[in-house]
């Protein structure tokens, strides 16, 4: 194994070959540059020094000849030793001689044509091939955009960055590397405005064997010179390489370069933030990344920024929260500082609300007060905020940011935001603060999804905390007996708190639904059911519900809440063990009668329930009195039942449900006269339906008021038309025939004729049959036959066959 001294001497011997091109080789200093066959070429160039074609032909012929010789040499010597690997393309004397010969020709030609881009480009490519090695040409799929966005340009440039094979080592060939850089500098001195030469120059800095002296400080200064030299329209081509170079160097270089670029184009801010969080060879900068993401989220919310990655303002805020959770110690304030900051911010917010500016949007001018600057678009620019300044070292108040920029804006994502805030405190080890965040979250969200998200995270955190405490108790140290006892006490407390939390879940979920809609009657009923037999809590819940619910916005069955509350007092609580409080029940029902319900039927059911309660208590007179109060008729009876601009109390007297219960009550415990009076009021108000007519007539019939009963039927037939009046006629005629038979035949015939006069063809068949049976039983067969014949002509088509059958039977009956 060679020693260090041997290795050093070997490197010195290899480095002694260089520089090959500095000073520029000439036949005077290097006689081996010219052979006998080159004399003709030299004489031709001396005779025509101003002919570009002569110089170009000589250079190309010489280059092709050397390439052919080098290929043959590489075939003969395919194996590479260590020296060949270090020297790369200049590992053989032939290669070194070819470089010197070509350099001599190019330099001589450039003396004649110093401003030729073609000549300089060819010369530089030749020099690069001998120092950097053979360029590997990549096959790229698809075409490239002409003017891509910077993010896309970075990705494309990263894929197409140059790669070389068998380069000259940067230590051994340092002098040749330096000579190559000097050649580029000379070319750019003559052609400073050509971006192609600059791009060729800066591509050297990406070579893996480029000496650090060149690839670091010199490269950064060269990039800066490019940007100062080229016009701004060409800067995008340079910035792509500059940013890629800065990413490769890492550390302060990356930060400095990206900050300069973001001052011009902030579209790469998200990419820069990801670099700050996951740097290649330096410590992360989470505070700067968090402030950049927060600034982007706020600008996107104001419509001043569009994410090149297609992220919404909420997604950008979510990225900020992820950074705060991951680097909680580096990004956010601790608990005391957070509390102090919250107090200071609250005070400043109050002062800002009371202070009046001199001008707002350039619309209002005052003599006194501070001036408000106006941007070119006529709007005041946003004030300076240290939370958005990446250069500021002040940490962030995560609580205020999430409340102000998250919960106040994205109310539908409250679950994720509260969980993020709690996770931030958990990562800092502030468990009590995290618990307070969980509690604040579950008591403020408005959707079941957000509640479930926060509650599950709360439970998972509590379980992990209990598991950690129990794990510490399983392996106690002898010297920490007192600490173990304290941990046991804390564990008992935490276990009780966890059990209480699980018991509170139904109540907390019900709170969420009631916060979303405090007028949800069904959820208030569920709240009552959750308390079980706790009469005190049930009463409090009913009271709070009735104070909270707005009747015009309430969901269905608000009246049931009053009824159930009154029944709660009537039955002596939920379990029925307490003493009945009838006065409270009556007060609740009395109060409910003054509530402006959405539907009249709800108020009617309240009165009916009140009367039923009095019946259950056997206060019959009071039950009648309640219904008399409910059914009181005002002086103006022309009120429209469906006029919702009027309160339900003003339209209650036209509620058929109320009158139906009232009349049933009178039939049960009242007198005949009082019942008739109630029925007459219903008829006078013109709210009776066919069932009321039938019931009224049946009531009179039961009490032997036959003629009065028939008059009610007749009034019903006048009130209603077919098909409703058909049922009344059908009952009326059957009752009349049954009562009088043939004793009042002419009157019966008149009634049948009246019924058939307006009866439609589809409904008249039963009436004709009943009419015909009347004549068969008590009248003349001839009239019966004529009635059946009329029926066969009048009834509907599907009933004519049956009608003709009856007509045939009537003829047979008349012949008998």
């Amino acid at each position: 194994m060679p020693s260090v001294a041997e290795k050093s001497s070997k490197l010195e011997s290899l480095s002694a070959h260089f520089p090959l091109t500095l000073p520029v080789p000439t036949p005077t200093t290097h006689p081996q540059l010219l052979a006998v066959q080159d004399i003709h070429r030299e004489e031709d160039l001396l005779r025509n020094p101003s002919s570009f074609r002569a110089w170009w032909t000589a250079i190309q012929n010489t280059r092709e000849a050397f390439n052919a010789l080098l290929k043959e040499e590489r075939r003969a010597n395919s194996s590479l030793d260590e020296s060949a690997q270090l020297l790369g393309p200049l590992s053989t004397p032939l290669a070194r001689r070819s470089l010197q010969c070509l350099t001599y020709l190019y330099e001589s030609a450039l003396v004649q044509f110093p401003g030729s881009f073609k000549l300089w480009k060819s010369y530089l490519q030749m020099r690069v091939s001998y120092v950097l090695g053979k360029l590997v040409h990549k096959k790229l799929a698809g075409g490239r955009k002409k003017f891509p966005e910077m993010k896309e340009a970075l990705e494309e440039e990263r894929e197409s960055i140059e790669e070389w094979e068998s380069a000259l080592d940067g230590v051994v060939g340092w002098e040749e590397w330096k000579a190559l850089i000097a050649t580029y500098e000379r070319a750019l001195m003559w052609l400073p405005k050509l971006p192609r030469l600059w791009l060729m120059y800066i591509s050297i800095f990406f070579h893996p064997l480029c000496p650090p002296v060149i690839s670091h400080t010199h490269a950064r200064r060269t990039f800066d010179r490019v940007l100062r030299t080229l016009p701004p329209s060409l800067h995008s081509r340079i910035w792509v390489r500059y940013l890629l170079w800065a990413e490769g160097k890492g550390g302060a270089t990356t930060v400095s370069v990206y900050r300069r670029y973001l001052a011009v184009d902030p579209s790469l801010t998200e990419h820069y933030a990801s670099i700050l969080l996951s740097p290649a060879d330096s410590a992360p900068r989470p505070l700067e990344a968090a402030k950049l993401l927060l600034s982007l989220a706020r600008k996107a919310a104001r419509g001043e920024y569009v994410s090149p990655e297609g992220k919404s303002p909420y997604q950008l805020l979510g990225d900020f929260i992820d950074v705060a959770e991951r680097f909680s110690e580096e990004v956010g304030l601790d608990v005391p500082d957070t509390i102090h900051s919250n107090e200071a911010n609250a005070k400043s917010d109050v002062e800002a609300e009371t202070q009046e500016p001199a001008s707002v949007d350039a619309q209002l001018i005052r003599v006194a007060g501070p001036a408000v600057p106006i941007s070119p678009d006529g709007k005041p620019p946003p004030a300076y905020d240290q939370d958005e300044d990446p250069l500021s070292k002040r940490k962030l108040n995560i609580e205020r940011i999430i409340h102000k920029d998250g919960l106040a804006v994205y109310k539908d994502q409250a679950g994720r935001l509260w969980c993020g805030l709690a996770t931030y405190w958990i990562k800092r080890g502030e468990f009590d603060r995290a618990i307070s965040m969980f509690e604040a979250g579950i008591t403020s969200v408005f959707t079941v999804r957000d509640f479930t998200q926060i509650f599950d995270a709360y439970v998972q955190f509590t379980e992990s905390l209990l598991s950690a405490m129990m794990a510490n108790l399983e392996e106690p140290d002898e010297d920490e007996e007192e600490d173990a006892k304290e941990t046991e006490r804390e564990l008992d407390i935490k276990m009780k708190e966890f059990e209480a939390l699980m018991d509170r879940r139904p109540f907390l979920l019900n709170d969420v639904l009631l916060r979303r809609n405090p007028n949800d009657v069904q959820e208030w009923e569920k709240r009552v059911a959750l308390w079980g037999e706790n009469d005190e809590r049930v009463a409090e819940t009913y009271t709070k519900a009735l104070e909270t619910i707005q009747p015009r916005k309430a969901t269905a069955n608000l009246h049931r809440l009053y009824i159930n509350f009154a029944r709660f007092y009537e039955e002596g609580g939920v379990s029925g063990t307490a003493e009945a409080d009838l006065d409270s029940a009556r007060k609740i029902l009395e109060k409910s009668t003054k509530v402006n319900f959405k539907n009249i039927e709800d108020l009617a059911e309240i009165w009916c329930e009140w009367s039923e309660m009095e019946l259950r208590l056997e206060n019959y007179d009071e039950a009648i009195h309640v219904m008399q109060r409910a059914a009181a008729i005002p002086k103006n009876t022309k009120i429209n039942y469906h006029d919702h601009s009027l309160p339900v109390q003003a339209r209650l007297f036209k509620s058929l449900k109320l009158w139906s219960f009232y009349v049933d009550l009178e039939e049960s415990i009242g007198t005949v006269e009082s019942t008739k009076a109630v029925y007459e009021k219903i008829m006078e108000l013109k709210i009776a339906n066919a069932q009321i007519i039938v019931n009224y007539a049946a009531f009179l019939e039961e009490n032997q008021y036959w003629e009065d009963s028939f008059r009610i039927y007749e009034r019903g037939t006048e009130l209603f038309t077919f098909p409703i009046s058909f049922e009344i006629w059908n009952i009326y005629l059957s009752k009349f025939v049954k009562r009088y038979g043939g004793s009042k035949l002419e009157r019966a015939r008149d009634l049948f004729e009246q019924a058939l006069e307006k009866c439609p063809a589809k409904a008249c068949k039963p009436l004709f049959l009943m009419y015909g049976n009347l004549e068969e039983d008590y009248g003349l067969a001839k009239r019966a036959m004529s009635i059946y014949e009329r029926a066969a002509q009048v009834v509907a088509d599907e009933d004519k066959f049956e009608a003709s059958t009856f007509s045939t039977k009537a003829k047979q009956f008349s012949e008998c």
Side-chain angles (χ1 to χ4, degrees):
M1 184 175 180
S3 63
V4 176
E6 292 176 351
K7 289 183 178 180
S8 177
S9 62
K10 186 176 181 180
L11 288 176
E12 290 178 0
S13 64
L14 293 175
S15 300
H17 294 296
F18 306 103
L20 297 172
T21 56
L22 193 67
V24 177
T26 63
T28 304
T29 59
H30 298 75
Q32 72 275 16
L33 293 181
L34 292 179
V36 176
Q37 60 270 24
D38 297 331
I39 296 176
H40 178 71
R41 180 196 69 194
E42 293 295 323
E43 291 177 348
D44 186 38
L45 293 175
L46 289 173
R47 285 193 299 268
N48 301 295
S50 61
S51 175
F52 182 83
R53 177 177 295 181
W55 284 103
W56 185 255
T57 303
I59 291 172
Q60 295 302 316
N61 290 337
T62 305
R63 190 169 183 178
E64 291 174 1
F66 277 118
N67 287 339
L69 294 174
L70 290 172
K71 283 183 181 180
E72 292 179 2
E73 186 180 46
R74 280 195 293 269
R75 286 197 204 98
N77 301 322
S78 59
S79 60
L80 297 177
D81 57 2
E82 184 178 356
S83 299
Q85 292 179 359
L86 292 174
L87 295 177
L90 300 174
S91 59
T92 62
L94 178 61
R96 292 192 286 272
R97 178 172 171 269
S98 65
L99 173 60
Q100 289 179 328
C101 289
L102 290 172
T103 301
Y104 158 66
L105 288 174
Y106 273 111
E107 291 289 349
S108 301
L110 288 171
V111 172
Q112 303 296 327
F113 308 100
S116 173
F117 169 73
K118 182 178 181 180
L119 196 58
W120 274 113
K121 180 181 178 183
S122 178
Y123 179 33
L124 294 172
Q125 286 176 342
M126 182 275 295
R127 292 286 297 271
V128 166
S129 66
Y130 279 96
V131 178
L132 276 66
K134 182 182 178 181
L135 181 64
V136 178
H137 296 281
K138 298 181 180 179
K139 293 182 179 180
L140 300 178
R144 301 181 65 175
K145 292 183 179 179
K146 189 173 182 181
F147 301 106
E149 296 291 337
M150 182 54 71
K151 187 175 184 300
E152 298 176 354
L154 279 175
E155 295 174 356
E156 293 177 358
E157 197 67 28
R158 188 177 285 109
E159 294 176 358
S160 60
I161 200 75
E162 295 88 350
E163 294 181 4
W164 294 268
E165 293 180 353
S166 65
L168 175 63
D169 185 76
V171 177
V172 174
W174 158 244
E175 295 295 336
E176 195 60 38
W177 278 90
K178 190 164 61 171
L180 176 62
I181 297 300
T183 305
Y184 266 106
E185 294 291 342
R186 285 169 49 215
L188 292 170
M189 180 183 68
W190 287 102
L191 303 170
K193 298 296 184 180
L194 294 181
R196 175 52 56 187
L197 288 182
W198 285 106
L199 291 173
M200 291 172 59
Y201 187 14
I202 62 181
S203 67
I204 298 175
F205 308 140
F206 290 87
H207 198 284
L209 298 181
C210 183
V213 177
I214 297 174
S215 63
H216 285 73
T217 303
H218 177 76
R220 176 174 54 80
R221 292 173 178 172
T222 302
F223 276 114
D224 293 341
R225 278 197 298 136
V226 179
L227 295 174
R228 289 195 299 267
T229 304
L230 295 180
S233 59
L234 300 175
H235 282 190
S236 60
R237 301 175 65 182
I238 306 302
W239 271 115
V240 174
R241 288 300 185 103
Y242 200 179
L243 295 175
L244 286 178
W245 173 83
E247 289 182 23
K249 300 309 172 186
T253 302
T254 304
V255 174
S256 177
V257 173
Y258 261 95
R259 284 178 179 174
R260 287 175 57 193
Y261 180 75
L262 294 179
V264 180
D265 179 15
S267 63
L268 285 183
T269 307
E270 296 176 52
H271 179 66
Y272 175 48
S274 64
I275 294 175
L276 292 176
L277 296 174
S278 303
D281 55 356
S282 60
R285 296 170 175 255
L287 181 58
E288 183 176 352
K291 290 188 175 184
L292 288 171
L293 291 173
L294 176 61
S295 176
L296 292 183
R298 289 177 173 175
K299 289 179 180 178
R302 295 194 297 264
E304 300 173 1
Y305 174 77
V306 178
S307 171
E309 299 180 5
K311 292 183 178 181
S312 65
Y314 170 72
Q315 288 176 317
L316 293 173
L317 183 64
D319 292 342
F320 162 76
I321 296 174
D322 291 339
V323 175
E325 292 176 2
R326 182 179 169 191
F327 303 95
S328 56
E329 295 288 345
E330 295 86 348
V331 173
L333 301 173
D334 56 11
V335 174
D337 292 339
T338 299
I339 295 174
H340 178 72
S341 177
N342 289 338
E343 293 174 354
N345 289 324
K347 184 177 179 181
S348 61
D349 291 342
V350 173
E351 293 177 355
E353 292 177 358
T354 58
Q355 185 178 10
E356 293 186 4
S359 60
V360 178
D361 294 342
Q363 298 296 322
L364 180 64
I365 303 296
R366 296 183 183 276
V367 176
V372 177
I374 300 298
S375 60
D377 58 357
K379 297 181 180 179
Y384 170 76
D385 191 351
Q386 281 188 327
D387 292 347
E388 300 180 20
D389 184 5
L391 302 180
S392 173
K393 299 299 181 182
R394 191 186 75 173
K395 294 185 178 181
L396 301 173
N397 185 346
I398 304 298
E399 278 191 13
R400 175 174 172 80
I401 291 172
I402 292 181
H403 279 84
K404 178 182 176 182
D405 299 295
L407 295 171
V409 180
Y410 310 106
K411 299 182 185 299
D412 57 335
Q413 300 294 334
R416 165 69 182 93
L417 297 172
W418 280 111
C419 289
L421 184 55
T423 304
Y424 162 76
W425 289 117
I426 292 172
K427 292 293 183 66
R428 292 188 66 97
E430 302 290 348
F431 297 148
D432 293 337
R433 192 73 174 180
I435 290 174
S436 65
M437 293 300 104
F438 280 126
E439 290 288 344
I442 59 180
T443 56
S444 62
V445 294
F446 291 90
T447 63
V448 176
R449 184 197 64 179
D450 292 336
F451 168 80
T452 304
Q453 189 175 1
I454 299 173
F455 190 85
D456 291 346
Y458 192 3
V459 170
Q460 185 178 1
F461 161 69
T462 307
E463 289 177 346
S464 62
L465 186 61
L466 293 174
S467 300
M469 296 175 71
M470 287 188 286
N472 291 334
L473 291 175
E474 289 178 358
E475 299 177 358
D477 296 334
E478 295 180 357
D479 300 335
E480 299 180 354
E481 293 182 359
E482 295 183 0
D483 294 340
K485 292 180 180 179
E486 181 65 25
T487 304
E488 288 181 359
R489 286 193 293 270
E490 291 181 2
L491 180 60
D492 293 338
I493 295 173
K494 293 295 181 183
M495 287 294 292
K496 292 179 181 178
E497 291 177 353
F498 180 68
E499 293 173 358
L501 175 64
M502 299 307 295
D503 293 338
R504 286 165 54 205
R505 190 183 191 284
F507 293 92
L508 294 172
L509 181 58
N510 183 259
D511 285 338
V512 172
L513 297 174
L514 289 178
R515 278 195 298 274
R516 184 176 65 182
N517 182 12
N519 301 306
D520 193 336
V521 176
Q522 287 71 30
E523 291 303 324
W524 282 109
E525 291 284 3
K526 292 178 183 178
R527 183 76 170 189
V528 171
L530 288 174
W531 289 116
E533 297 183 357
N534 190 338
D535 292 345
E536 182 178 356
R537 290 290 189 178
V538 169
E540 291 178 0
T541 303
Y542 272 124
T543 304
K544 185 178 180 181
L546 298 179
E547 292 175 353
T548 305
I549 295 175
Q550 300 180 22
R552 303 300 295 180
K553 298 181 180 179
T555 58
N557 298 324
L558 173 60
H559 63 287
R560 297 303 310 174
L561 206 60
Y562 285 95
I563 292 172
N564 294 337
F565 193 15
R567 191 168 293 178
F568 167 78
Y569 282 113
E570 179 190 353
E571 297 175 353
V574 178
S575 60
T577 56
E579 184 179 357
D581 190 354
L582 300 179
D583 292 337
S584 297
R586 291 189 179 97
K587 288 180 181 179
I588 292 169
L589 292 172
E590 180 69 35
K591 180 181 178 181
S592 66
T593 59
K594 298 178 174 60
V595 176
N596 187 18
F597 294 98
K598 289 193 292 185
N599 299 319
I600 298 176
E601 303 305 321
D602 295 346
L603 180 59
E605 191 165 345
I606 292 285
W607 285 104
C608 296
E609 182 64 27
W610 190 353
S611 181
E612 285 183 355
M613 184 186 76
E614 299 296 343
L615 289 176
R616 288 193 295 270
L617 299 174
E618 298 181 356
N619 296 331
Y620 303 119
D621 294 338
E622 185 64 24
I624 294 292
H625 177 66
V626 168
M627 295 311 300
Q628 287 175 348
R629 288 180 55 196
I633 301 175
K635 293 181 180 180
N636 182 16
T637 60
K638 295 182 179 180
I639 293 176
N640 186 0
Y641 178 81
H642 301 287
D643 187 0
H644 293 281
S645 62
L646 298 174
V648 292
Q649 286 78 7
R651 298 175 284 146
L652 179 63
F653 71 96
K654 286 196 173 183
S655 172
L656 185 59
K657 182 176 184 179
L658 180 73
W659 284 103
S660 298
F661 182 84
Y662 188 11
V663 77
D664 290 343
L665 184 64
E666 287 289 354
E667 288 185 18
S668 301
I669 60 177
T671 62
V672 175
E673 296 301 326
S674 62
T675 304
K676 289 175 62 178
V678 174
Y679 271 119
E680 289 299 327
K681 289 181 180 179
I682 297 175
M683 302 292 287
E684 290 174 4
L685 292 173
K686 297 181 180 180
I687 60 174
N689 57 14
Q691 188 62 49
I692 293 293
I693 299 296
V694 173
N695 292 344
Y696 189 11
F699 171 74
L700 294 173
E701 183 180 347
E702 289 175 3
N703 291 277
Q704 306 301 317
Y705 291 96
W706 299 101
E707 288 299 326
D708 291 342
S709 171
F710 295 148
R711 279 196 294 272
I712 296 302
Y713 282 125
E714 291 177 1
R715 290 172 66 181
T717 58
E718 294 174 358
L719 289 174
F720 301 99
T721 59
F722 285 92
I724 298 175
S725 63
F726 169 76
E727 300 297 337
I728 300 175
W729 277 113
N730 198 13
I731 298 172
Y732 178 25
L733 293 173
S734 60
K735 294 282 187 182
F736 189 87
V737 173
K738 183 179 179 181
R739 170 67 179 168
Y740 293 111
S743 60
K744 295 187 177 181
L745 186 59
E746 290 301 326
R747 183 179 173 185
R749 288 172 177 168
D750 291 341
L751 292 175
F752 275 107
E753 292 296 336
Q754 291 179 23
L756 292 170
E757 183 179 357
K758 297 180 180 180
C759 183
K762 292 183 178 181
C764 65
K765 185 187 74 173
L767 297 180
F768 274 113
L769 294 179
M770 193 184 303
Y771 193 5
N773 290 334
L774 174 68
E775 292 294 343
E776 290 180 11
D777 295 339
Y778 305 106
L780 300 174
K782 185 176 181 180
R783 289 184 64 86
M785 187 174 62
S786 64
I787 290 171
Y788 289 133
E789 289 176 354
R790 283 172 59 193
Q793 297 176 358
V794 175
V795 298
D797 294 340
E798 60 269 19
D799 297 328
K800 285 186 177 181
F801 177 77
E802 188 176 356
S804 62
T805 303
F806 281 107
S807 178
T808 305
K809 290 182 179 179
K811 290 180 180 179
Q812 295 175 356
F813 174 76
S814 63
E815 292 174 357
C816 295

